[in-house]
Amino acid sequence: MTVAYPRKLRNAMGAREILANVVRDREIHLITLNRYRFSEQRSCKDLTDLIERLDGQPAELVRDLSRHISDEARHAMWLTDLLVDIGQNVGTPPGVSYIDEFERLLDKEQYRNLDDGVIAALAAINVTEKRGCEYFSAHIHALKQAPQTAENVKIRETIEKIFPEEAGHVRWGNRWLAQIADKSPEHRQKVEQAKRKYVAIEQAAFESGMDIMLGAELRRVTRLVDIANTMPMWERPQYLMERLPRTLLAPDLQMTRVDVAQRAWNRDPQAFVEKLVPMFLNGLNTIEKKPAATKPKA
């Protein structure tokens, strides 16, 4: 079966590079931790919604998802305790929401039977958990290289408690998808197609929360087309037409740009002019390279 992993930001910056910069800036660092908290908290709601849609079948999956919710709730609790203990905000984090963008790009109406719904849900959970593991691992690495202040140590110890359980969630998802794929050639084809689709959706959602530079709207459209290309031909036009207007207008992106500009100006007007403005304008000069094709792994 194909093994799918998250790609770098615009195929250039990896998680370790990003987190090394994040931990150097306390304000951004704490916002990032609050994003983790929000994601763990929100996943409890999303997993509960999934259990309700399954309506008790298959029972083994419902049981596993219930345990998954317990893990995510504990992670949200640990991160909330951490942020409250160091006197930081635990409200909705600023910026483009990775979770909201991921859900906007889904096409839930396409799943008309239980099998397809289960495959889609497991593929979606699996790819987001992989991204989480990648970033928790990179965050731990960055904190080990950073000054060993009491706050940094406390943050690292919290993430180190969460990371092994998130890795377990990835293994769990891999096992479930493999079991379903082994049922028949048709099931294997559905699992492979779902993996391709949700890797594309996750990449688009991830980049939407990281890329606010000039031209980001056009890069979002490119990612939208990548998603559509994983679908049957007859489903693509409707999918694109329903999502293209919001992708191009991107009101969440515009609000984030204003918020980031205000924060940067208030902190250091000179750095705003000398660094942020040129970096923003340079967004149009970036030529994205296509990732090299890889052969599916058995």
Side-chain angles (χ1 to χ4, degrees), residues 192-213:
E192 293 293 339
Q193 193 274 336
K195 283 186 174 184
R196 290 193 297 272
K197 177 191 289 186
Y198 287 100
V199 164
I201 288 174
E202 193 282 332
Q203 186 69 27
F206 166 69
E207 291 193 9
S208 73
M210 302 291 287
D211 182 9
I212 65 168
M213 301 300 104

Side-chain angles (χ1 to χ4, degrees), residues 181-192:
D182 285 343
K183 289 182 178 180
S184 70
E186 181 185 4
H187 282 86
R188 179 170 292 271
Q189 183 179 11
K190 286 184 176 181
V191 168
E192 293 293 339

